[in-house]
Each structure stands twice: as structure tokens, then as C-alpha cells.
Amino acid sequence: MNSRTHSDEQVSQIAASLREFGFTNPVLIDEKCGVIAGHGRIQAAKKIGLDEVPCIVIEGLTEAQKKAYVISDNSIALNSGWNLENLRLEIESLKEMDFDIDLIGFDDEFLSSLTFDHDSEVEMPVLADGDKEPFQQKTFTLHDEQASIVDDAVTLARSNPLVDTGLNENSNGNALALICQQWLESQNG
Amino acid sequence: MVSAKDIVIKPISSKAAEKVVKAVHYSGKVAAISQVHLGAFLNGKLEGVMQFGPPIDRRKLLPLVEGTKFNDFLELNRMAFSDALPKNSESRALAVAFKLIKKHYPNIEWIVSFADGTQCGDGTIYRASGFVLTAIRKNSTIKQLSDGTIAASHGTSKKDFTGSKTLEGYQLRYIYFLNPKARERLTVPILPFSKIDEIGAGMYKGKPKRDKQANSGDQSESGGAAPTVTLQSQKGSHHAQ
């Protein structure tokens, strides 16, 4: 029994590979022609009308070993990874050789993710130059009760004769600066 | 035979640049603050990027060169080149990038960049490209978080650094002067490149250097233009912080 699944798409990929490269990896069978490894290849061979496929007979395995091999033949291969940068360069190289990269078993989405796309015409962006405007907007998150205290203090401070209006036209900003300045002065004794 | 002179540098979108940085840069992380994204093309294919933008801590860096206006310097935030590019590509690409920046932004007087001597290298590319070395500091900002990821703990970082470990190594600050006269206004001393090995800050391909002579040569005489090997990542690609 094979617990590994082979989608129609994958069988088609294997079939395309068999056509391009030939049957390079024989099916593994036991003494009774039970398939140990190569279920997908057999389905692909049927799909392209092959009557015979090369096999290697594995003798002497216990039932447990056969079952384990069927699984491990697939699962161990899944444990490897890809060096994506090297893979990208190899695929680029194949493209340059006009090789049909549909045959290497990756879907279009993955192939696209490996390619460094670029825009044909991008202008140099406009950057600010010179000195920054001497104004800043600051944002704070306040609880409703805190907001109410700040509002009351700013409203009161706006009419205070000590407010310096020489730097800034924003009355709330001037009031807040006065409050903070007075608080700082109180800290300094 | 392909040479570094075959590389074409032109602006690309941030999206295109980010894809290259994610795939090729040792950190795999993009610098969101970057504004100018320059692509390095070989035979019409994008194979590398240089990203420039304002530094995160602009106000701290501004006084490095006296009289610099707020928007008149940039940081080279990221540099990531694939192995498809030939030897010495980085120096060539930087030279062309600096010409482009001078042409389009004549106000930009200098470029600052940092070499990550905790994971990457001590700035071989910068030294080969005419940058001057202005600081070697023991790393205090690049940290390994408890989940194993590596992040920089600067003011705007939203990561949780509780239980994080500061990476061993150094950060090296380099400056390139687009306006040579701005060099006269530098407010910090220019360090000789030999200082890197003197204090044990040498790193190449993510590994500390053992050869104490590796960075000999005084930039005040050579101008830092001595040809050197390219800086490469553990992934095998070329990059800078």
C-alpha cells in the first residue's frame, strides 16, 4: 500500500520528465512484483503509453521493512531543502540555454517568485533637500480622562500672558509648550 | 568574459529591490526607510540592489559633518548582490550609484553606511570604494531574540527584546564624501583601517578574522581605494549591511 499521493498535475510532470529524460530511475519491486517505490512513475508511464518499465527487484525485505521503505523513500526526500539563490541562478542558466523549464517540476508561481522582476522605466525619486521645516506634529494616545485634563490645561494656558507666540502660530502648540516648560522648571526647583 | 564594467545601474521600484534583498542579503530583511533603490543589471537582468535613504537616527548622525542640512546626507541602507555578478561588482556599482546621486541630488554631500561586524563583515567593500572609517563600536543594538530571530533594537523597533542576547562583535561606521570639501567639516577623527584588526573587529563572510595584517594600509594615504576582495555572505552572495 502506498500512502503517498500523486496528483494528476504531478503525474503529468513525471510524464513530461520521462519523455524528456527517459526512464532514468527504475521502479523498486519485491519478489512478487509488489511495488515498493515508483508508484508515481508507473502512473506516468501508463499515461504516456509505456508497456514496460525498468525495475529492480529488492529481495529479502520483511513485510515491515517493505512498509517502512515505501514511506521512507518519500519522507526522507522531503527533508531536503533548497538553496534558493543557487536554484535561481541554475534556472536562469537553463532559460539562457532555451531549455523548457516547465520540465523541472516547479509550478509557475514558484518560478515567478524566484525571478527578480524589474520595472522597465523608473525615475529617480524626488527627495527633500536642505533643512527640515522647524515644525513637528506629535501624536499621543490618551485615556478619555487624561485627554480631558490635557484639554482643560491647554485651554487655560492659551490665554496665559506668558505664552510665547514668537516661534509658532499654533495656539495649542504654544500652550502645551508653556505647560511643559513650567513643569520642567518646577522639576529643576 | 563578463566584467564589472558590464554592469548597468538604474533606479528600480522598492518592490523589485525588496525581492532581491530578501533573497540575497544575509539578513533577508529590507530597510523600510529606503527611498532610492538602484538596481545592478547584468545582461539586462536585475542581479543586485543598493538602497539609500535617511538614517533612522538622523539627528544623531547629522553633527558628524558640521553644517550638514537635515536632508543633505543619506545612508546606504542595504547592498545585496547575487553571485551572478562578477568580481569587484560592488565597487563599480557604488561608483556609478554615487555619480547618479550627485547628478540627481546635488544637495547630498555625504553618504554614511554601517558594516555589521557581528554577522557579515568589517566593510571590505566600503574600504575598496573610497569610504573613510569613522567609528568602530562594540555592538549593542543587534540582538538575538528568544525565538532565535535577529533584530536591531533602535528607537522605532516594535520587537520584544525581553530576554534577548546582544550579538558579539562590532559595528563599523563608514562615510563617503560626494562633496570632497565636506570632508574638511568632519567632526570626528578618520580612523586608519589597521585599527579594525588592532581591536579585533575584523570579520569576513560572517567569521571573525584571525589574520592581524588583513586590514593594514592607512586610508589617509590610500584614500581607501586599495583593491580588495569582495565581501560575501554565508549564503555565498555579496552584500553589505
Side-chain angles (χ1 to χ4, degrees):
Chain A
M1 186 193 292
N2 182 25
S3 50
R4 188 87 172 127
T5 59
H6 297 283
S7 66
D8 288 345
E9 190 188 352
Q10 195 215 3
V11 171
S12 296
Q13 286 175 331
I14 300 171
S17 171
L18 293 180
R19 276 198 207 96
E20 178 71 20
F21 306 113
F23 215 111
T24 58
N25 188 7
V27 172
L28 303 186
I29 56 173
D30 64 13
E31 302 92 328
K32 296 174 186 171
C33 290
V35 177
I36 298 172
H39 299 83
R41 273 164 278 158
I42 290 172
Q43 285 183 54
K46 284 179 186 168
K47 192 178 178 88
I48 60 172
L50 294 183
D51 297 327
E52 293 180 355
V53 296
C55 296
I56 293 175
V57 181
I58 308 291
E59 293 178 299
L61 293 186
T62 64
E63 280 307 305
Q65 283 176 317
K66 281 184 219 169
K67 278 180 185 292
Y69 193 92
V70 168
I71 296 169
S72 67
D73 182 57
N74 290 297
S75 66
I76 292 173
L78 291 177
N79 292 339
S80 63
W82 289 103
N83 178 322
L84 293 179
E85 174 58 2
N86 288 349
L87 179 62
R88 185 183 73 81
L89 294 174
E90 289 295 287
I91 291 172
E92 291 291 345
S93 169
L94 284 171
K95 280 186 194 166
E96 279 169 16
M97 294 173 188
D98 289 327
F99 191 86
D100 180 4
I101 57 166
D102 287 344
L103 292 171
I104 61 175
F106 293 122
D107 61 32
D108 290 345
E109 193 181 339
F110 180 75
L111 289 172
S112 166
S113 75
L114 286 179
T115 310
F116 293 162
D117 316 310
H118 61 88
D119 337 69
S120 51
E121 289 294 328
V122 173
E123 298 292 323
M124 292 288 273
V126 175
L127 299 183
D129 66 359
D131 267 329
K132 179 182 169 291
E133 286 285 303
F135 296 99
Q136 297 179 39
Q137 288 192 324
K138 288 187 177 286
T139 307
F140 302 95
T141 302
L142 298 171
H143 184 274
D144 285 347
E145 287 179 22
Q146 293 171 315
S148 174
I149 293 168
V150 171
D151 285 344
D152 289 349
V154 166
T155 305
L156 203 60
R158 270 204 307 239
S159 56
N160 190 303
L162 292 174
V163 166
D164 180 359
T165 56
L167 291 173
N168 188 2
E169 289 178 357
N170 185 291
S171 58
N172 285 345
N174 290 335
L176 197 57
L178 173 67
I179 294 164
C180 294
Q181 187 190 340
Q182 290 187 339
W183 185 82
L184 283 173
E185 283 167 4
S186 75
Q187 296 300 298
N188 294 333
Chain B
M1 192 179 145
V2 180
S3 88
K5 287 191 175 175
D6 297 321
I7 296 173
V8 174
I9 305 295
K10 53 186 180 181
I12 56 174
S13 68
S14 61
K15 202 174 160 190
E18 284 171 8
K19 198 166 177 182
V20 179
V21 169
K22 280 181 183 167
V24 177
H25 194 263
Y26 75 96
S27 73
K29 290 175 189 163
V30 298
I33 202 166
S34 298
Q35 294 173 329
V36 181
H37 314 277
L38 298 177
F41 292 81
L42 185 66
N43 299 324
K45 285 187 200 153
L46 179 61
E47 291 292 351
V49 297
M50 291 161 285
Q51 294 186 293
F52 296 86
I56 291 171
D57 47 359
R58 178 152 40 176
R59 287 186 185 281
K60 280 188 195 160
L61 295 172
L62 206 54
L64 284 176
V65 179
E66 195 179 3
T68 302
K69 290 178 181 167
F70 193 76
N71 292 307
D72 291 355
F73 76 115
L74 287 173
E75 180 181 348
L76 170 57
N77 304 122
R78 287 282 186 279
M79 184 167 179
F81 280 28
S82 93
D83 277 350
L85 292 170
K87 207 174 159 187
N88 299 325
S89 294
E90 295 90 342
S91 301
R92 162 82 182 161
L94 278 173
V96 179
F98 292 154
K99 273 186 194 168
L100 275 174
I101 290 171
K102 271 178 97 163
K103 183 182 167 194
H104 290 273
Y105 315 113
N107 60 304
I108 302 291
E109 294 195 288
W110 49 283
I111 309 277
V112 64
S113 198
F114 294 87
D116 175 6
T118 68
Q119 306 172 80
C120 177
D122 57 32
T124 311
I125 295 167
Y126 302 141
R127 296 194 296 278
S129 302
F131 281 76
V132 295
L133 175 64
T134 63
I136 305 172
R137 293 210 179 102
K138 229 175 167 35
N139 171 51
S140 61
T141 55
I142 303 173
K143 305 192 179 206
Q144 185 163 36
L145 308 184
S146 46
D147 67 358
T149 58
I150 290 171
S153 63
H154 46 69
T156 59
S157 178
K158 289 176 181 149
K159 303 252 181 204
D160 178 10
F161 286 94
T162 312
S164 64
K165 188 180 80 180
T166 303
L167 294 188
E168 288 286 321
Y170 292 82
Q171 285 179 297
L172 300 93
R173 186 182 64 213
Y174 289 89
I175 292 179
Y176 183 88
F177 290 99
L178 293 170
N179 171 12
K181 286 188 178 171
R183 182 171 167 148
E184 294 163 16
R185 307 192 326 256
L186 184 67
T187 57
V188 293
I190 292 176
L191 305 176
F193 293 145
S194 56
K195 194 87 181 164
I196 298 170
D197 290 320
E198 257 175 50
I199 65 170
M203 175 170 276
Y204 183 65
K205 290 188 188 181
K207 290 188 178 150
K209 277 184 196 159
R210 291 193 181 131
D211 178 6
K212 294 284 180 191
Q213 300 305 310
N215 290 321
S216 61
D218 190 327
Q219 61 185 329
S220 60
E221 290 176 15
S222 69
T228 50
V229 288
T230 55
L231 182 65
Q232 294 187 320
S233 73
Q234 287 168 302
K235 282 182 186 173
S237 304
H238 321 213
H239 56 246
Q241 186 188 17

